[in-house]
C-alpha cells in the first residue's frame, strides 16, 4: 500500500479541508505531516462550521484514525482546545487521534519570538500567523527543540526551563517585553491533560499499517508557494509543504507515495505579505473577496485576491508530481462576465515566461488569457454535463494549460457540493 497525498497548489486556503473530509471514507488514516496551528482547514457539516488547526480533517468520520505526524509542530494548549471543542460535539477524539512522539513542541516563548521577529522586520514583515511556527522549526534545525514524546520523561521540566531561558535571552537582545506567565501555566496544564491521549512511534506505525494493507491519506497544510524551499521566499512558512515533505514528515520512503491530489481555487488568494503576481487591488478583487468570503480561517485577516496564476500552478504540479487536480470555489465566479487567468510572467525587460524566477519581484506583470463567464447562479444537480458551457470550457481549458486532469469540481463549502468527473 502507498500513502496518497493531498496538497494545496497556491498560497494556502485552497479548500483542502473540505476535500480531505470528502475523500476520508476511502482511507483508514488521515495524516498531517507538516505545519502546525498556522493552518485553518474549514469543514461544514449539517450547516455547522468547524475549523481544524492541528487535527487532520478525517476526524468527523467514524472508524478513521487521524495522525499528527512527526513533521508537525504542536502547541499543546491549542491542540487541547481543538480536542475539547470536538469532544463537546460528541466526537470521540481519544480513540481516533494518534500523536507522533517525534512531533515538536511549540513553546509559549516561540510565540513571543515570532511576534518579536515580525516587529523587528517592520515593513518587511512576513505576515506570520504569530503561532510560533518559525521559531519552533528554527529550534528543530538548530537542534534545540523538544519532542512531544519527551513530556513523559522525568527531565522534561528541566529541558523546558533550559529552552525557555535561551529564548528569554534572545528576546532581551530584541528589546522585547515578555509577559506570558499566565499562558505558560495553561500550556503546562494542557500537557498534563494530553498525556491521556494516544502517542505513537509514527514511522513504525505508518509503515506497519501500510504493510497490513491500510490506506493512508497525507493532508498538506499551507500551499506549495509557501514551501520553505520552493515558495516565494522569504515570504513563506517554515516547512516543506510539498509532497516531498510527506517522506520526512511521516517517515515513509519515496516509493511509497501514491496518488497526489492537487487542490486549487478557481482564482487565487494570499494572506500575509509577499509577491502575488495576479493580485487585483481593485473592485474586481473586492468582488472576489466578498463572493468567496475570503477572510483567514486562523487569523480572520482579509485575504488578498486575484486571478488564477497558471505559472504557479504548473510549477506546483511539477514539484508535487500531481496526478489529479481538484478545483474549488467555482461558484465564486458565478457573476463575472469575463474570467482571466495569468498565463505568463513579464519580466522588467518585457520577456514573457511561465518559469517561476528565483525571486518574484513585487511589481512583476502578468499576461492574461480571458474566458467567457457563465454569469448565473448554479443549481447543484449532480449532473456535470448540465452545467453551463462556459463553466465546462473554463475547466477543460485549465486541464489543457496544466496538462493534468481535473477530477473534482467544488461549487460550495458543503460536503455534497462536489462534482466528481
Ligand atoms: P484550507 O486551509 O485549504 O482547508 O481552506 P480554508 O478552510 O482556509 O478556506 C477555504 C474556504 O472556502 C472555507 O471557508 C471553505 O468552507 C470554503 N470552501 C471550500 N470549497 C468551497 C467551494 O467550492 N465554494 C465555496 N463558496 N466555498 C468553499
Ligand atoms: P492553510 O493550511 C494561508 C501564511 C501566513 C504568512 C506565512 C508565514 O489553512 O492553507 P507562519 O505563521 O507560517 O509563519 O506564516 O504563511 N500562512 C498561511 N496562509 N493558509 C495557511 O494554512 C497558512 N499558514 C501560514 O499568512 O503569510
Ligand atoms: Mg486555511
Amino acid at each position: 500500500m502507498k500513502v496518497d497525498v493531498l496538497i494545496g497548489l497556491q498560497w494556502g486556503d485552497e479548500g483542502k479541508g473540505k476535500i480531505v473530509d470528502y475523500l476520508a471514507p476511502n482511507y483508514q488514516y488521515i495524516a498531517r505531516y507538516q505545519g502546525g496551528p498556522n493552518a485553518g482547514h474549514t469543514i461544514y457539516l449539517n450547516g455547522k462550521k468547524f475549523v481544524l488547526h492541528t487535527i487532520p480533517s478525517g476526524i468527523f468520520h467514524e472508524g478513521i484514525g487521524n495522525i499528527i505526524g512527526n513533521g508537525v509542530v504542536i502547541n499543546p494548549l491549542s491542540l487541547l482546545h481543538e480536542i475539547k471543542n470536538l469532544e463537546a460535539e460528541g466526537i470521540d477524539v481519544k480513540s481516533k487521534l494518534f500523536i507522533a512522539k517525534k512531533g515538536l513542541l511549540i513553546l509559549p516563548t516561540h510565540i513571543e519570538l515570532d511576534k518579536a521577529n515580525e516587529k523587528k522586520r517592520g515593513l518587511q514583515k512576513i505576515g506570520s500567523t504569530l503561532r510560533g511556527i518559525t521559531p519552533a522549526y528554527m529550534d528543530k534545525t538548530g537542534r534545540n527543540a523538544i519532542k512531544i514524546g519527551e513530556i513523559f520523561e522525568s527531565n522534561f521540566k528541566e529541558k523546558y526551563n533550559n529552552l525557555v531561558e535561551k529564548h528569554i535571552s534572545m528576546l532581551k537582545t530584541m528589546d522585547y517585553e515578555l509577559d506570558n506567565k499566565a499562558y505558560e501555566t495553561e500550556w503546562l496544564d494542557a500537557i498534563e491533560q494530553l498525556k491521556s491521549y494516544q502517542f505513537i512511534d509514527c514511522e513504525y506505525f505508518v509503515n506497519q499499517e501500510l504493510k497490513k494493507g491500510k490506506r493512508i491519506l497525507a493532508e498538506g497544510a499551507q500551499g506549495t508557494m509557501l514551501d520553505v524551499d520552493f515558495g516565494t521566499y522569504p515570504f513563506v512558512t517554515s516547512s516543506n509543504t510539498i509532497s516531498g515533505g510527506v517522506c520526512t514528515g511521516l517517515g515513509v520512503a519515496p516509493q511509497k507515495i501514491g496518488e497526489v491530489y492537487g487542490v486549487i481555487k478557481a482564482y487565487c488568494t494570499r494572506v500575509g505579505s509577499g509577491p502575488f503576481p495576479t493580485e487585483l487591488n481593485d473592485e474586481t478583487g473586492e468582488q472576489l473577496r466578498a463572493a468567496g468570503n475570503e477572510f483567514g480561517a486562523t487569523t480572520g485577516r482579509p485575504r488578498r485576491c486575484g486571478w488564477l496564476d497558471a505559472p504557479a500552478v504548473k510549477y506546483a504540479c511539477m514539484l508535487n508530481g500531481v496526478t489529479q487536480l481538484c478545483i474549488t470555489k467555482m461558484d465564486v465566479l458565478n457573476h463575472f462576465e469575463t474570467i482571466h487567468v495569468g498565463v505568463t510572467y513579464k519580466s522588467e525587460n518585457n520577456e514573457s515566461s511561465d518559469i517561476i524566477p528565483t525571486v518574484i519581484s513585487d511589481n512583476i506583470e502578468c499576461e492574461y488569457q480571458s474566458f467567457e463567464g457563465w454569469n448565473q447562479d448554479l443549481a447543484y444537480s449532480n449532473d456535470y454535463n448540465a452545467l453551463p458551457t462556459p463553466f465546462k470550457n473554463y475547466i477543460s481549458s485549465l486541464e489543457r494549460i496544466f496538462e493534468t486532469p481535473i477530477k473534482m469540481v467544488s461549487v460550495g463549502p458543503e460536503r455534497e457540493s462536489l462534482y466528481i468527473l
Side-chain angles (χ1 to χ4, degrees), residues 70-83:
N70 56 274
V72 177
V73 285
I74 304 165
N75 178 335
L77 185 54
S78 119
L79 175 58
L80 187 73
H81 280 314
E82 217 173 313
I83 291 174

Side-chain angles (χ1 to χ4, degrees), residues 7 23 31 67 113-114 152 164 172 181 243 269 272 289 304 321 333-334 380-381 396:
I7 309 268
L23 290 171
I67 301 170
L113 281 164
D114 212 357
F152 296 100
V164 168
K172 271 192 190 138
K181 271 291 160 211
S243 55
T269 62
R289 186 175 306 111
R304 299 158 63 194
L333 299 183
N334 280 356
Y380 181 73
S381 71
S396 49

